[in-house]
Amino acid sequence: MTLRALAATVTLFASALAATAQQPLPQFTDPANLRGERVKPRDGRELPIDQGARGLEQMLRKLNTRASLMLIVAHPDDEDGGMLTYYSRGLGARVAMLTLTRGEGGQNAMTGDFEDALGLLRTQELLSADRYMGVDQFFGTEVDFGFSKTKEEAFKKWTHERVLYDAVRAIRLYRPLVIAAVFIGGVTDGHGQHQVSGQIAQEAFKAAADPTVFPDMIAEGILPWQALKVYARVPMQSISDKGLFDYATGKYTAPRFENYVTGEVTTTTPTADVIVHEGTPDKLLSDDPAAPPRTYVQFARIGLGMQKSQIGGGIRVPPAGAFDVSYHRYGSKLAKQPQHETSFFDGIDTSIGGIGRSIPGAPKFELEQLESLEAEMKQLSDRNASEKQRPRLPELLAGALKRTDLILSTLESSQLTGQEKADALHELRIKRVQLNDALALALGAQVDAEADGADVLQNGLGLVHVQVSESADLRLKFPVRLSAFGTKAFTELRREFGPDDPQRSIEAKVDLHFRPDMTSVITKPYFFRDNIEEASYQMHDAALRNAPSTPPAFVAKAHYTYNGVDFEIDRIVHNGLQPVSIVPHGSLSLSTHAQVLSNSATSTTIRAFLTPATTPAIAPTLALPTGWRSTAASANAATADETRFTITPPPTARRATLIKASAALPDGTISVGYRPIGYGDLPRTNYYTPATVRIVPVDLNLPSNKKIAYLPGTGDAVPEALASINLKPEILTVADLTPAKLAQYDTVILGVRTYAAHPDLHGAPTQALLGYARNGGNVLVQYQTTEFTAEDAPYPLSLGSNERVVDETDPVQLLDASAPFLTTPNKITPTDFNNWVEERGHGFLGSWDSHYTALTETHDPEEDPQRGGLITTNLGKGRWTYCAFALYRQLPEAVPGAFRLFVNLITPATAKN
């Protein structure tokens, strides 16, 4: 589009927005309920604080305020949980968080999932943490591509426009009165992706209100929104005589702080305009009434502990006492700014009556009704009054709900038009949802909906038996309608009965059977990318953009009528702890999506898995290029669950070739596989991948000594990659690390972060490994974290505090090209470090004893040389080596040079006796 055409488009949309005072505004359907205008279904994972009497008291805090806040960060676990909990649970504000990425580039202390699968895992971990903080979750479409040292690198990968679009869209959907950020958009943020989130939070403060910015949202029904203030946390780093320390680069830089709202640049640390007292105790946050009340930061840290993939099994909970965090105000739209702020919302009318005062020319009736509603809300949220009137709470809540319905109905049918009306309707619908939930809690109404038999249903096959039970602790005596909805056009199944219906008791149950046509929409992530080099997600459904996940497959609803008003309770249909999901009628997956073919091999083996297995057995087929051949053999003659293909390329094959698999089942052809991602009680998310494999020919010589053992750490795919070149290792446990057991092997490999995964590896097991090396064994230790100490190595060494090389294109210099590890059995050259993915490596050593030999040098642009990526030492008759290069990321992607180097590292100089 030319600049002239773009300007014309912007002018057209600006004119269209100005004309909305005379005509209806477009409506956004909001399939993921990101606005929060509809009742959210319960999932059975609600915390005790959100149920029963405590849940009711928590909800009553929210009724008398329209305060709303959105925090913007880069990754899961970046959040200021204490601040979020203070405003959400303490002050009753409506609070959301926009997390730009899903943490795909992080490490994983819990499973062997990385990249997109790790992103799905961390999404559910963050949602678990959100329950403690009491926040609504939004996500961007950006992918965490690994540690970035500058925001310029992050913007280059993501583009400024995409990040701003995601932030503006989230703000326009949620419509917060205040925007906040953990980061400020400068070097004090460290990680380049952190810096991006800080800068964008300030820029989006202005951009979200500008109708000429992203006018396509307006056409979609997502209207501009002007938040009233924007804050960011005051950096903790102080300015020394050397300047500001940038922990991303490990260097000092001149102090520079930019305000992206005003454009002002200063050299002094931003002032503390609001101090959040996160160490304030709150009686609602304690499980035991007799125990001291927890503070907001303590409760939030328990939630942070749910993000186990990054922090492992434990989290430090700060002791009771003062815990203050300071925020600086970067922009304000208030006509009169308070001189001294005690809250983000100082100077903002957060009262219910403020909804009406925001509508120019609002009818007197509307204003009077809102004033009356405000009085009712004050009465309900007053703790002393609510204690006295608790027996009347259902009646009072029903009265407030009835008045809210009246105001909504009157406003919807009024002659008022324009964005102000839309804004008022939005806030009133949110308030109605809060009253709905409070009334359900006050009446003790409960609903469950459990599928019969399984949490995974094949699409289009059979009927689903769902039992919806309504348990009334207070023996409710009013009409109820039970129904359930499937994802296909929200098709409804319904049963109704009144309080005197013979089928109804204190616990009423009804069976709802989903028809096959209601199981035709597969439950899968709405976002995807074609390969891991893409820095952002594409979407199957653009309307779900910013949503944490795809909406549940089935939702059951119980509609009640009490004192003349309607309220509802929604429940995700589940089986046990897992929500019901709809899957294809089959899954076809391959053992790997990329595999090397060494020059010494004339063929390679690919394993295909077809589930559910069919009777009679049906074998998958491969689509092969001209000149390629394959033979298939079932690994189990009784089923078709595993087929092994021997693939023979033509002798001239010299380039990577993509091979596709498919299976013709009675219900259709499939060429996609899926597997559940998660651990423990986390909700599972099915991860879908095409049944394809990329065969990469590589000049690769294999060792003659092939007795290899592998001790897994936090999880990686290295054993599978080695098996693909006929070097299948035997998997060990820590208990196997004995002299007698180790003597069987030529090489023993430690997986990534083994010392973090196995605290019992220290001491005797490690000494057994060192003794094994002295007796002629070859030990290879892959990337480790701070749990790895000098006592775990044969000679002194230390991990650096900031030793990493994040740019996978950075050149690598070989310090001793004649070293055995760089010559046998493959001649390693700098070109073997070409075409790497994600990063060069993490956990480079900062120092090491002179007994070690450093074999490589690399560094990010303008950074100090890093020589601690690959060090080795002769130890007795054998060898001990530490490798921080991210080979565990390269091998699953069939990077040729990584295979050549890894094979060399596991090749002992001589066969062990």
Side-chain angles (χ1 to χ4, degrees):
M1 181 181 289
T2 65
L3 289 176
R4 179 176 297 177
L6 178 60
T9 301
V10 169
T11 302
L12 177 63
F13 274 97
S15 301
L17 185 63
T20 57
Q22 289 79 36
Q23 53 187 305
L25 295 170
Q27 298 296 314
F28 178 60
T29 58
D30 195 12
N33 194 23
L34 293 173
R35 295 183 189 273
E37 295 180 359
R38 302 191 302 271
V39 172
K40 296 180 180 178
R42 300 177 182 179
D43 62 2
R45 299 172 184 271
E46 291 77 21
L47 302 179
I49 188 177
D50 295 315
Q51 303 177 69
R54 281 199 299 169
L56 176 59
E57 188 170 348
Q58 179 75 73
M59 186 57 66
L60 293 179
R61 291 181 178 182
K62 297 181 176 295
L63 296 183
N64 192 41
T65 180
R66 55 187 282 260
S68 55
L69 165 71
M70 175 174 281
L71 180 72
I72 298 178
V73 297
H75 316 102
D77 73 23
D78 282 348
E79 56 273 3
D80 182 350
M83 180 274 287
L84 294 171
T85 308
Y86 171 78
Y87 276 101
S88 174
R89 295 199 174 278
L91 300 188
R94 189 170 63 97
V95 178
M97 179 163 59
L98 168 63
T99 308
L100 295 180
T101 77
R102 297 173 186 267
E104 299 86 348
Q107 305 304 314
N108 190 346
M110 296 302 294
T111 73
D113 298 305
F114 290 98
E115 306 297 346
D116 296 5
L118 176 58
L120 296 178
L121 184 75
R122 294 189 71 182
T123 294
Q124 291 300 330
E125 288 183 326
L126 181 55
L127 291 174
S128 295
D130 288 342
R131 293 186 180 92
Y132 286 83
M133 296 179 289
V135 302
D136 301 312
Q137 184 65 52
F138 288 68
F139 276 100
T141 57
E142 293 71 36
V143 172
D144 176 5
F145 52 84
F147 191 93
S148 57
K149 295 186 177 180
T150 66
K151 66 181 177 184
E152 288 75 22
E153 179 192 7
F155 274 134
K156 183 179 179 181
K157 293 268 191 178
W158 291 338
T159 76
H160 182 277
E161 181 180 36
R162 172 176 282 273
V163 185
L164 185 63
Y165 191 98
D166 281 330
V168 166
R169 190 176 190 274
I171 291 168
R172 288 177 175 176
L173 282 169
Y174 202 71
R175 312 183 88 67
L177 293 173
V178 171
I179 297 170
V182 167
F183 305 107
I184 67 171
V187 297
T188 55
D189 301 334
H191 200 316
Q193 295 175 15
H194 292 170
Q195 297 179 44
V196 166
S197 70
Q199 176 176 332
I200 287 296
Q202 296 179 40
E203 292 183 350
F205 172 71
K206 294 196 303 182
D210 188 344
T212 66
V213 175
F214 306 130
D216 59 307
M217 293 185 195
I218 301 170
E220 192 181 357
I222 303 174
L223 304 181
W225 174 253
Q226 179 62 74
L228 297 180
K229 291 194 281 185
V230 59
Y231 296 85
R233 194 165 64 181
V234 175
M236 292 180 286
Q237 293 94 322
S238 59
I239 302 174
S240 71
D241 54 356
K242 297 180 182 180
L244 277 175
F245 182 71
D246 180 358
Y247 81 79
T249 62
K251 294 184 176 181
Y252 285 90
T253 184
R256 185 181 188 278
F257 302 94
E258 182 171 355
N259 184 318
Y260 295 95
V261 178
T262 65
E264 179 185 10
V265 177
T266 65
T267 58
T268 57
T269 303
T271 58
D273 295 318
V274 171
I275 298 176
V276 184
H277 302 296
E278 301 180 9
T280 304
D282 189 327
K283 69 179 184 66
L284 287 185
L285 303 183
S286 293
D287 297 326
D288 183 359
R294 290 193 181 105
T295 67
Y296 296 111
V297 68
Q298 287 176 329
F299 199 68
R301 288 289 177 84
I302 297 172
L304 180 61
M306 300 294 105
Q307 303 190 58
K308 292 183 173 64
S309 67
Q310 303 307 298
I311 63 176
I315 184 70
R316 188 184 73 84
V317 176
F323 196 103
D324 293 342
V325 177
S326 301
Y327 280 78
H328 176 74
R329 186 183 66 254
Y330 283 85
S332 173
K333 291 295 181 180
L334 297 182
K336 184 179 180 181
Q337 183 64 43
Q339 285 188 334
H340 175 69
E341 294 180 284
T342 60
S343 164
F344 291 157
F345 299 104
D346 283 0
I348 299 175
D349 185 356
T350 60
S351 68
I352 304 302
I355 298 175
R357 290 187 285 273
S358 67
I359 309 175
K364 182 180 179 182
F365 174 79
E366 292 285 342
L367 296 175
E368 290 175 347
Q369 290 297 316
L370 282 166
E371 294 294 338
S372 297
L373 180 62
E374 180 176 339
E376 291 175 334
M377 296 297 201
K378 284 182 178 178
Q379 183 181 16
L380 286 165
S381 58
D382 183 281
R383 181 177 300 175
N384 294 325
S386 65
E387 288 294 335
K388 296 176 183 178
Q389 303 181 78
R390 188 163 297 279
R392 293 187 59 226
L393 270 179
E395 178 185 340
L396 295 172
L397 287 165
L401 189 53
K402 185 181 297 184
R403 190 181 300 278
T404 303
D405 283 342
L406 174 63
I407 300 171
L408 275 167
S409 176
T410 305
L411 186 57
E412 287 170 345
S413 60
S414 72
Q415 297 301 310
L416 290 173
T417 58
Q419 183 169 330
E420 291 83 5
K421 175 181 176 179
D423 293 342
L425 287 171
H426 168 68
E427 293 204 73
L428 285 166
R429 288 166 183 155
I430 289 170
K431 200 54 59 181
R432 194 200 189 285
V433 168
Q434 292 176 346
L435 283 165
N436 177 100
D437 295 345
L439 181 56
L441 287 167
L443 290 168
Q446 300 177 20
V447 170
D448 195 12
E450 187 157 7
D452 184 24
D455 59 1
V456 175
L457 310 168
Q458 293 181 5
N459 70 309
L461 299 180
L463 300 177
V464 183
H465 165 81
V466 177
Q467 183 180 83
V468 182
S469 64
E470 176 268 317
S471 175
D473 293 344
L474 300 182
R475 300 197 178 194
L476 307 179
K477 294 295 183 181
F478 43 79
V480 62
R481 182 176 78 248
L482 298 177
S483 59
F485 291 81
T487 54
K488 184 176 181 181
F490 291 98
T491 307
E492 181 180 4
L493 302 170
R494 180 184 298 186
R495 287 284 302 276
E496 298 187 34
F497 45 84
D500 299 322
D501 193 304
Q503 297 184 61
R504 176 172 177 161
S505 61
I506 295 176
E507 182 174 303
K509 297 182 179 181
V510 61
D511 292 341
L512 300 171
H513 297 270
F514 288 109
R515 300 183 301 272
D517 67 307
M518 296 178 68
T519 66
S520 61
V521 179
I522 302 300
T523 309
K524 63 181 179 181
Y526 70 89
F527 48 91
F528 70 98
R529 55 178 174 161
D530 292 328
N531 60 73
I532 65 169
E533 290 301 288
E534 293 182 2
S536 57
Y537 285 117
Q538 305 174 55
M539 286 161 287
H540 296 295
D541 185 350
L544 293 175
R545 187 170 186 160
N546 292 126
S549 57
T550 301
F554 301 111
V555 174
K557 296 176 178 284
H559 305 262
Y560 298 89
T561 302
Y562 173 78
N563 275 18
V565 295
D566 295 330
F567 73 96
E568 69 179 83
I569 304 176
D570 297 359
R571 178 64 166 95
I572 295 174
V573 179
H574 64 100
N575 181 265
L577 287 173
Q578 298 301 322
V580 169
S581 61
I582 306 170
V583 299
H585 50 270
S587 171
L588 178 61
S589 58
L590 303 182
S591 54
T592 179
H593 67 274
Q595 189 161 312
V596 298
L597 177 68
S598 67
N599 56 354
S600 60
T602 58
S603 64
T604 188
T605 300
I606 298 295
R607 299 160 65 204
F609 302 91
L610 177 62
T611 56
T614 60
T615 304
I618 297 176
T621 59
L622 299 180
L624 297 170
T626 302
W628 290 63
R629 295 180 294 106
S630 72
T631 57
S634 176
N636 186 335
T639 69
D641 57 347
E642 181 181 345
T643 302
R644 295 183 181 180
F645 290 96
T646 300
I647 301 175
T648 305
T652 57
R654 290 293 181 269
R655 65 179 60 182
T657 300
L658 189 68
I659 295 175
K660 300 180 180 180
S662 62
L665 301 182
D667 299 292
T669 299
I670 60 170
S671 57
V672 173
Y674 62 88
R675 63 183 176 90
I677 302 297
Y679 60 83
D681 292 342
L682 276 183
R684 300 300 190 261
T685 305
N686 284 329
Y687 176 44
Y688 286 81
T689 53
T692 61
V693 60
R694 183 165 48 89
I695 305 296
V696 182
V698 56
D699 182 9
L700 178 66
N701 298 315
L702 299 178
S704 57
N705 307 309
K706 299 182 180 180
K707 293 181 291 184
I708 302 170
Y710 199 93
L711 176 65
T714 54
D716 58 62
V718 171
E720 293 82 357
L722 293 177
S724 73
I725 55 173
N726 295 320
L727 295 177
K728 185 177 181 179
E730 181 178 337
I731 303 301
L732 301 181
T733 67
V734 174
D736 292 323
L737 302 185
T738 64
K741 180 74 172 180
L742 294 174
Q744 304 173 27
Y745 307 108
D746 296 308
T747 295
V748 176
I749 308 168
L750 270 60
V752 299
R753 298 178 66 172
T754 43
Y755 285 90
H758 307 292
D760 55 340
L761 179 56
H762 299 287
T766 291
Q767 292 306 312
L769 280 170
L770 297 178
Y772 158 78
R774 292 186 181 97
N775 288 326
N778 183 35
V779 175
L780 172 61
V781 179
Q782 296 186 81
Y783 148 67
Q784 300 294 317
T785 46
T786 54
E787 296 82 3
F788 176 66
T789 67
E791 287 72 25
D792 301 312
Y795 303 109
L797 51 70
S798 66
L799 289 172
S801 60
N802 195 43
E803 271 62 39
R804 60 169 68 90
V805 182
V806 300
D807 188 345
E808 66 274 16
T809 66
D810 289 333
V812 176
Q813 177 185 352
L814 304 181
L815 300 177
D816 182 4
S818 63
F821 274 171
L822 301 180
T823 58
T824 306
N826 301 286
K827 176 66 175 176
I828 303 300
T829 70
T831 60
D832 284 303
F833 294 88
N834 292 345
N835 302 312
W836 280 36
V837 299
E838 183 74 41
E839 61 188 350
R840 278 286 183 235
H842 259 4
F844 281 55
L845 295 177
S847 64
W848 52 93
D849 187 87
S850 59
H851 284 87
Y852 297 105
T853 299
L855 298 178
T856 61
E857 176 181 303
T858 185
H859 59 88
D860 284 320
E862 302 180 8
E863 295 291 315
D864 295 332
Q866 296 276 350
R867 292 191 170 189
L870 180 59
I871 67 163
T872 188
T873 183
N874 292 322
L875 191 61
K877 300 178 183 179
R879 182 173 289 274
W880 186 96
T881 304
Y882 177 81
C883 181
F885 284 100
L887 296 173
Y888 69 96
R889 293 192 187 274
Q890 314 310 315
L891 299 189
E893 299 303 320
V895 175
F899 266 92
R900 288 163 48 81
L901 177 59
F902 204 101
V903 165
N904 281 22
L905 295 179
I906 63 176
T907 301
T910 58
K912 190 174 69 63
N913 295 328

